[in-house]
Each structure stands twice: as C-alpha cells, then as structure tokens.
Amino acid sequence: MRASGAEWARDFAAFTLKEAQACWFAFLFFVAVFAVPREGLLGVPRYDVLLIWALLVQAHLVWSGRETWDELKAITLFHLLGFALEVFKTSAAIRSWSYPDFAYTKLWGVPLFSGFMYAAVGSYIIQAWRLFDLRVRHHPPYGLAGLAAGALYLNFFTQHAIGDYRWVLAAFALGLYARTTVVFRPRERDYRMPLVLAFVLIGFFIWLAENLGTFFGLWAYPHQLGAWARVHMSKWSAWTLLVIMSFTLVVQLKHIKARIHIPE
C-alpha cells in the first residue's frame, strides 16, 4: 500500500528530527565553535576549550544512555585513528593543513580536540542505527569489507609516497557495496536506500561542516592562509571514503552485527 502525501510529510518530518538527534554530538560541538571566540575564554585557549567541551558532551552521551560503553570504545578508536591521521597530515614533510592557534593540549602540532571530529562521524552512525532501526541487506563479507576499509585508511598515508589510489579503491568499494541497501524506519514505514548513496551523502555533509570549520579558523589548508576559500571538492570524495571506513568499524559492534545480512 502506497503512502499518502500526508504520510510522506509526517515521515519526512520524523526523518529530519531523527537526523538532527543523530547529529547531536556534531551539533553541540559546532555550537561551541560558533560561541567560543578565537582568543579563547577566561584565559583558556580556544582549542583547549573545545577539548573540554567535547569531553563533557561525550560524557553526557554515555551518562544519559544515548551511547553505551561498547559504543564508546568504538568511538574512542575513531578518535585515535583520526588523531594519527592528523599528526601525519600536518607534519612538516606533508603540511596538507595546519592548526594555527596556540593550545596547551597540542601534541605534535595537533590539538587533541581534532580527534573528536572523526569520533563525531562514528557517533552519528551509531545514533542513526538506533534511531532509524537500521538494517543492512546484502552486506559484503566482513573480511572483504575490512580489507577495503584498511586499504582506504592506509592510502591517506601512502598517497604521499607511492601515489594516490583513491579512485581505484573507490571503484573497489563501489563494486563491493553495489548490491547493498540500508533499510530505515522514520516512523512506521520502512524505506530503502543504496548504501553507497548514503556514504556519498554523509561525505557531502561532512564536507559542508569542514567548510564551516575552516571559515571559523579552526584549521586551514594552504590555499586558505591568505584569505578563506572554499574547501576543494576533492575533499568530498576523501570524506566519503572515510565514512566507508567508519561504517566498517561500527558494524563490528555486536548489537549492530545482528542487523547485518551477508548473502551466501
């Protein structure tokens, strides 16, 4: 039975509300980005204030039950992987981007809050899974998915030494997830979407958030040092690939694995 226009409207409103709830960590983080002046608060540098705020938000999510301890472990892994990538990309030999402001909580030139920007992606996926009662049909075998995720992550490092194989890996991932669909439920009716399309859309919104982050001077790419300019569209593809890696890590959680269908 097809949904009426009114039902579509109610489902869309519920979808929008749940998307906002799933983005709770990212939303609260950007509230701080907008609110905290560049010179910091009460003598505390801005990067340090953002780290304190991110820790408080993360603690609130666990205390309120919106995230479990197992989920927190997965999100911490995102933080560590993201921070390692930040250290490499901002190193003197690479300088893909930089964090120009002073902070007490900087290690190797990278403020510790930066890992939470990657953790926010994992938090979104976990929250969306719960809120939308997500189920995945025709997920590729875990071994192949893990191989693709590992290769995508390593390529962010090795592209500076042996070349960028982003598009080769993207084609491999596209073939791997070509039959995969995600089933989600805003209210009472199920909807389906190709999982690859979900990856691309999430990557796009992260790219928009990255433009906001650079506009407010949290970090800067070389072409933004004189004056702000839009982040290159190529970063959209990079974020999409990072979303694939993040998704692969999230599906290892036991309660999520139970909703994954791997065809024989």
Side-chain angles (χ1 to χ4, degrees), residues 78-242:
F78 287 117
H79 189 291
L80 295 175
L81 292 173
F83 185 77
L85 183 61
E86 290 280 332
V87 170
F88 177 77
K89 289 290 192 177
T90 59
S91 63
I94 306 301
R95 295 187 182 278
S96 294
W97 58 83
S98 61
Y99 290 89
D101 296 345
F102 169 79
Y104 294 107
T105 54
K106 262 187 174 182
L107 291 178
W108 302 291
V110 178
L112 291 180
F113 84 83
S114 65
F116 280 101
M117 295 187 291
Y118 297 84
V121 179
S123 178
Y124 164 78
I125 296 173
I126 288 170
Q127 294 295 330
W129 215 293
R130 181 180 293 113
L131 292 166
F132 287 104
D133 189 24
L134 291 185
R135 286 139 289 153
V136 176
R137 305 294 297 171
H138 302 297
H139 188 280
Y142 291 124
L144 284 176
L147 177 65
L152 290 170
Y153 183 70
L154 288 176
N155 185 69
F156 287 114
F157 295 88
T158 59
Q159 64 182 244
H160 300 282
I162 62 175
D164 188 357
Y165 293 93
R166 179 186 313 177
W167 299 114
V168 175
L169 294 172
F172 176 67
L174 180 63
L176 199 61
Y177 289 99
R179 295 181 61 233
T180 307
T181 58
V182 59
V183 183
F184 59 99
R185 184 178 298 164
R187 291 176 61 249
E188 299 174 353
R189 184 182 299 271
D190 285 343
Y191 292 86
R192 296 176 183 271
M193 175 188 294
L195 187 58
V196 170
L197 176 58
F199 291 152
V200 172
L201 290 175
I202 296 171
F204 174 72
F205 284 106
I206 297 173
W207 175 79
L208 290 180
E210 188 177 30
N211 275 279
L212 283 176
T214 57
F215 180 79
F216 282 92
L218 286 186
W219 68 94
Y221 289 99
H223 73 286
Q224 297 174 321
L225 294 178
W228 183 83
R230 176 175 56 83
V231 176
H232 292 311
M233 291 295 294
S234 63
K235 297 298 179 182
W236 179 4
S237 64
W239 279 114
T240 298
L241 298 181
L242 199 67

Side-chain angles (χ1 to χ4, degrees), residues 2-106:
R2 299 184 65 178
S4 65
E7 289 174 326
W8 275 95
R10 285 192 290 268
D11 284 349
F12 181 75
F15 173 83
T16 302
L17 177 60
K18 288 185 176 182
E19 279 289 316
Q21 291 175 312
C23 293
W24 189 237
F25 184 97
F27 170 75
L28 290 178
F29 181 81
F30 272 99
V31 165
V33 170
F34 300 148
V36 178
R38 188 157 192 170
E39 60 271 18
L41 286 175
L42 303 174
V44 181
R46 176 171 64 157
Y47 292 164
D48 299 331
V49 174
L50 292 177
L51 173 62
I52 295 170
W53 178 247
L55 287 169
L56 290 174
V57 172
Q58 185 63 74
H60 163 70
L61 290 174
V62 175
W63 175 80
S64 64
R66 296 183 66 156
E67 288 177 358
T68 67
W69 284 105
D70 281 344
E71 291 168 349
L72 177 61
K73 293 174 186 176
I75 289 170
T76 301
L77 181 58
F78 287 117
H79 189 291
L80 295 175
L81 292 173
F83 185 77
L85 183 61
E86 290 280 332
V87 170
F88 177 77
K89 289 290 192 177
T90 59
S91 63
I94 306 301
R95 295 187 182 278
S96 294
W97 58 83
S98 61
Y99 290 89
D101 296 345
F102 169 79
Y104 294 107
T105 54
K106 262 187 174 182

